[in-house]
Amino acid sequence: MRPGALEGLRVVDHTDMRGALCGRVLGDLGAEIIRVPPIPDAGGPAHAHRNANKAMGDPADLEALIAGADLLIDNSGLDYVELAGCCPALVVVALTDMGLTGPRSGWRLEPLPAFASSGAQHLSGFMDRSPCWHPGYIAHDCASVLGALGGLAAVMGRSRHGRGQVVEISVQEAALGGLNPWSVLIPDYLAHFPELPAKGHRNADGNYWIFPARDGWVRTVIGTPKQWNGFVEVLGGPDALTGPEWSDGVFRARNRDVIHMVADGILAQHDRVDLFERGLAAATTIGVIQSPREFVAHPQVVGRGFFRHDVEGSEGLPVPDAPWKLSATPAGIRRRAPMSTDEPARFSPRASANRWAPGSLEGSAGTGDLVGTGDLAGTGDLVGTGDLAGAGGLLLAGVRVVEFGVAAVVPEATWMLSELGADVIKIESVVHPDSLRLAGRGDLNKAFPFNAESRGRRSVALDLTTDRGLELARELCTAADVVAENLRGGSLDKLGLGWDDLSPARPDLVYVCSQGYGRGGPMGRMPAYGPLNSGFAGAHWLWNHADVEYPCSTSLNHPDHIAGKLLAVAVLAAIHHRRRTGQGQLIDMAQTEAAAYLIGEVYMAAAATGADPRPIGNRSETVAPHDVYRAGGDDDWVALACHDDESWRRCCGVIGIENHWPTTAARLANGEAVDAAVSAWMAGGGADDRAERLQAAGVSAMAVMGPFDHRSDEHLAARGALDVLEHPVVGRETHVANPIRFGLTARRTAGPSPLLGADTVEVLGEVLGMTPDEVSALAAAGVCR
């Protein structure tokens, strides 16, 4: 097999299952991962999925393994200052539940309370029930993805200056940014759009309506007038929905009951596939909601080969492969998950790090200081922005990215690249602007979703229906290091701007594609948005309470935000490979497969049992108590997870009851009595008070936080977790900051999103050598703006 993009990178994975995905991500890109968990892995589907591509190391050899590694991933709280002194070239990714600093830095978050801390649970569920979680490790997975990105950036930086560093990721901040980043921004837009749901309360499917089909359910994401008109066409043009008032999205949101009254009966007469095809023909977005087993068997998924059935030790179960396809460096499973410490390891100890990436084109910063680590012991500052001079400046300084991004996934990826120093140029259509800009209701520069997603880039507005506009776009692409797009499948190929068109002239080009269902296949031409991708992958099948009317309880745009960061990891790996070899490549990531990658164990378990899992709300089959309990305030909730018997014993001491159920088995068998005891105590105080009392005793609990909680939270404020910017049209904006905290590597805070075409003159002059008069003439001719 050809070497992967990260061939030669040695990583020690010292995490429990909450952080295991970080090593899997790097291993899928070719790194050598040695797993030495701080507590023994329990086995099962989660272990098999999250620990593929890893070898098992002996805990007795942990110190020697770390000394010979390039990168250590840890969520056990090792002494990072001591590590810096012993291993000055080591990069440490510290996955922390709430960060290394701040008032709550000592809190422990199990998966359910971590989800509650992110704001995603606040927006999930039905108002007559408790807020509902996404089963699995989704909040910690967000931290794992960002840890892989930050760790890779730090190791790439080390090839320039020789220094190791600590890269800190807070699970809470990573999950806020990876699941619900728009939430903290919306309140700043109330002065412009008072109808916005600033409090972010749960509203089940929200404005991404779910409709019955003859054989299941479908979901729609309708934002533009064209999409609404196409939906009405699919319905056969009923008079009740054809008035001009229906073109307004706010009007539609206020009259969703009328839409359901008309549409439910019509759509229920058709199968899901038929409705999907009708939507495609009518240029509207109708997505199919599937169970996990249906996703595994779908022709689009089978055709793309996302699941592997030949992994040794998996007994033929479908194992999710890597979420990206790279044309020059293979990505994906090379070996099954390690079964035990008795398994023969395929590595040998080495005494020194600093061996990764020989021949890197980045060279050295020439400081001669190979042992500096930001003086962690002297300053105690593990989260600084770095010494720009000593670290050689921004990692991606001089890298030009041309983006044809719309909505969220590619814009999220290029935002991460921008914060590392890349110059991101967004080519926008004068005729067909980004659909997120339309949320400005007449003002393309006032749309909060666009302004959340498009920070840190310059805008060039071109009319790509003109020959000259297309020529300018092609010239910008051939002057770029990276081209990234997530337009409808095949759109850029038709314009002569695809990978096959550009790579002959630029063999070192990194070309990034991310369509909803991936390139090619029977569904490759269909545009898709986060809610449709999650529904297709089976995530919505699980993300729900039991015994509800329809299979979905969230209007979040998952997996868009975390999928963008996952895509950025592959882009950074490809940039590293390009710097070493001069070779570019094509990266293809299906957003449905990104959603599936985060719940890979679900498909394996379903195949093993022969039955799809059923939604169980906030419950767990292995942990008790494990639920969201009502506290004393209005719509006030606390997530609690006692992950072992000791945690429950401490919980009993806090709530003042006898420990009648000392074992997990006893608590699971007496769930109603356990819940009654916990509920009675929770109701006696506010959510923050209840969570603080439990955490003080070492019990994992968290208030279910919403956007106003995050904006006023002293812990997030102390950590600088939110960026406050000044937008030229909107004014003050509050954004989720980059959750990656480098001890050394420099990054910058991306500025506000650009006004449409604000940088056309500057970019065309700087990159293509055009004069302002030449650009003005093109603008007068309608070629640019």
Side-chain angles (χ1 to χ4, degrees):
M1 180 180 287
R2 293 170 298 159
L6 303 184
E7 186 78 11
L9 174 64
R10 178 169 287 184
V11 179
V12 171
D13 175 1
H14 189 247
T15 67
D16 58 29
M17 288 302 296
R18 297 174 303 155
L21 190 73
C22 186
R24 166 77 199 260
V25 170
L26 295 173
D28 280 348
L29 288 165
E32 178 187 28
I33 315 296
I34 306 163
R35 180 158 177 80
V36 189
I39 58 175
D41 289 332
H47 163 79
H49 169 58
R50 292 165 187 275
N51 288 320
N53 283 336
K54 300 178 185 180
M56 184 64 79
D58 189 333
D61 295 333
L62 179 61
E63 291 186 8
L65 291 171
I66 291 174
D70 299 291
L71 190 152
L72 167 68
I73 309 166
D74 177 66
N75 68 351
S76 71
L78 294 175
D79 188 329
Y80 303 130
V81 173
E82 180 179 351
L83 278 172
C86 297
C87 305
L90 180 70
V91 170
V92 178
V93 173
L95 301 178
T96 66
D97 288 338
M98 300 198 76
L100 293 171
T101 62
R104 299 192 190 112
S105 59
W107 285 28
R108 177 186 174 93
L109 297 180
E110 290 298 309
L112 174 63
F115 191 69
S117 77
S118 73
Q121 189 155 24
H122 184 76
L123 192 58
S124 299
F126 296 77
M127 278 302 293
D128 62 344
R129 297 169 185 257
S130 62
C132 188
W133 84 310
H134 179 298
Y137 300 87
I138 190 67
H140 290 87
D141 287 346
C142 289
S144 289
V145 170
L146 284 155
L149 181 63
L152 177 55
V155 177
M156 289 173 66
R158 190 187 68 184
S159 67
R160 301 165 66 182
H161 52 69
R163 306 181 188 181
Q165 61 181 299
V166 175
V167 180
E168 180 214 346
I169 311 291
S170 155
V171 171
Q172 180 188 28
E173 294 163 27
L176 174 58
L179 297 173
N180 196 20
W182 298 357
S183 60
V184 299
L185 176 62
I186 291 176
D188 294 325
Y189 279 70
L190 290 177
H192 306 280
F193 306 108
E195 71 277 3
L196 288 173
K199 293 183 179 180
H201 286 304
R202 58 198 182 280
N203 57 359
D205 60 339
N207 291 326
Y208 305 143
W209 308 309
I210 292 177
F211 297 101
R214 185 160 51 197
D215 62 341
W217 300 86
V218 295
R219 190 167 199 179
T220 61
V221 175
I222 296 174
T224 68
K226 182 178 182 180
Q227 290 168 343
W228 170 251
N229 292 335
F231 179 67
V232 174
E233 179 183 333
V234 170
L235 295 176
D239 292 340
L241 302 180
T242 54
E245 66 275 11
W246 289 101
S247 296
D248 180 45
V250 175
F251 180 85
R252 294 196 298 269
R254 291 172 176 168
N255 290 276
R256 60 174 290 169
D257 56 336
V258 178
I259 296 171
H260 275 284
M261 190 181 304
V262 174
D264 283 3
I266 297 172
L267 299 180
Q269 300 176 44
H270 301 274
D271 291 338
R272 291 172 294 173
V273 172
D274 180 34
L275 293 174
F276 178 92
E277 294 294 339
R278 286 169 177 255
L280 180 60
T284 192
T285 43
I286 297 177
V288 175
I289 293 181
Q290 299 190 117
S291 73
R293 292 198 301 160
E294 286 178 322
F295 176 72
V296 173
H298 195 279
Q300 179 74 13
V301 179
V302 173
R304 286 179 53 82
F306 176 62
F307 286 97
R308 295 272 302 277
H309 297 266
D310 60 345
V311 178
E312 180 189 355
S314 67
E315 299 180 350
L317 297 179
V319 182
D321 213 342
W324 340 264
K325 299 179 184 297
L326 281 69
S327 63
T329 55
I333 296 174
R334 302 183 309 282
R335 61 174 294 156
R336 62 177 172 82
M339 293 296 105
S340 72
T341 55
D342 296 330
E343 177 176 310
R346 300 180 183 178
F347 57 87
S348 57
R350 66 189 190 195
S352 173
N354 266 343
R355 296 187 182 182
W356 188 61
S360 170
L361 301 183
E362 293 175 300
S364 169
T367 63
D369 178 9
L370 299 183
V371 298
T373 58
D375 192 18
L376 302 188
T379 65
D381 179 10
L382 302 181
V383 296
T385 57
D387 173 1
L388 302 193
L394 293 162
L395 179 69
L396 298 183
V399 172
R400 180 176 295 137
V401 178
V402 168
E403 175 210 307
F404 295 90
V406 295
V409 174
V410 159
E412 289 263 4
T414 56
W415 170 56
M416 302 305 299
L417 302 180
S418 174
E419 293 235 343
L420 288 171
D423 175 24
V424 180
I425 299 169
K426 185 179 184 72
I427 296 183
E428 302 198 64
S429 171
V430 174
V431 179
H432 302 293
D434 188 326
S435 58
L436 293 188
R437 282 198 183 271
L438 300 181
R441 304 193 68 197
D443 189 332
L444 297 178
N445 295 313
K446 272 190 179 179
F448 81 85
F450 179 88
N451 292 342
E453 293 302 324
S454 293
R455 295 171 51 201
R457 65 210 68 198
R458 299 189 283 177
S459 172
V460 174
L462 300 174
D463 185 350
L464 299 183
T465 66
T466 66
D467 291 341
R468 183 57 176 145
L470 197 55
E471 182 182 0
L472 293 171
R474 186 175 296 110
E475 291 177 8
L476 288 172
C477 289
T478 55
D481 303 288
V482 179
V483 172
E485 64 94 5
N486 63 330
L487 301 175
R488 179 172 173 165
S491 296
L492 289 187
D493 297 284
K494 292 177 182 177
L495 296 175
L497 298 173
W499 162 252
D500 292 336
D501 304 296
L502 298 177
S503 58
R506 285 295 308 274
D508 63 342
L509 180 67
V510 175
Y511 195 102
V512 186
C513 302
S514 181
Q515 278 65 48
Y517 303 102
R519 290 167 61 91
M523 301 176 75
R525 294 180 297 115
M526 182 62 155
Y529 301 92
L532 306 186
N533 296 327
S534 285
F536 184 78
H540 288 162
W541 183 266
L542 301 171
W543 194 345
N544 212 348
H545 289 284
D547 303 322
V548 292
E549 293 182 32
Y550 50 86
C552 181
S553 71
T554 186
S555 57
L556 285 169
N557 292 293
H558 181 69
D560 284 358
H561 307 295
I562 191 56
K565 279 91 168 179
L566 190 59
L567 182 60
V569 181
V571 176
L572 204 60
I575 290 173
H576 163 72
H577 174 76
R578 175 182 186 263
R579 287 177 168 175
R580 287 192 298 118
T581 66
Q583 181 183 35
Q585 59 184 312
L586 171 68
I587 301 173
D588 165 25
M589 186 187 80
Q591 294 154 28
T592 53
E593 293 168 13
Y597 188 68
L598 302 173
I599 55 170
E601 56 266 29
V602 169
Y603 308 102
M604 299 179 69
T609 62
D612 283 306
R614 306 302 303 179
I616 56 175
N618 297 310
R619 297 290 191 176
S620 167
E621 296 177 349
T622 58
V623 176
H626 188 280
D627 211 336
V628 172
Y629 299 90
R630 186 183 291 276
D634 180 35
D635 201 33
D636 206 18
W637 302 86
V638 178
L640 169 66
C642 291
H643 63 286
D644 58 18
D645 294 340
E646 173 61 20
S647 175
W648 170 246
R649 186 189 67 77
R650 295 183 180 191
C651 181
C652 289
V654 174
I655 68 178
I657 64 170
E658 293 291 329
N659 186 1
H660 298 295
W661 312 284
T663 66
T664 297
R667 294 190 296 278
L668 288 170
N670 295 275
E672 290 187 6
V674 172
D675 284 340
V678 173
S679 295
W681 181 80
M682 288 287 190
D688 288 335
D689 171 74
R690 305 286 93 165
E692 287 171 5
R693 289 172 181 262
L694 289 164
Q695 285 283 357
V699 180
S700 184
M702 190 72 204
V704 177
M705 299 182 73
F708 287 100
D709 299 315
H710 289 130
R711 287 169 64 104
S712 62
D713 185 67
E714 64 173 3
H715 177 75
L716 293 177
R719 291 182 49 76
L722 304 179
D723 288 334
V724 178
L725 306 176
E726 190 71 20
H727 188 275
V729 172
V730 178
R732 176 189 170 95
E733 288 184 330
T734 305
H735 295 271
V736 176
N738 184 347
I740 304 174
R741 309 295 181 89
F742 293 101
L744 182 64
T745 297
R747 68 175 180 84
R748 61 189 177 194
T749 299
S753 65
L755 306 185
L756 180 64
D759 309 292
T760 302
V761 174
E762 177 183 80
V763 170
L764 295 184
E766 176 186 312
V767 180
L768 304 183
M770 299 178 65
T771 67
D773 287 344
E774 289 175 320
V775 179
S776 295
L778 291 175
V783 173
C784 64
R785 174 174 171 176

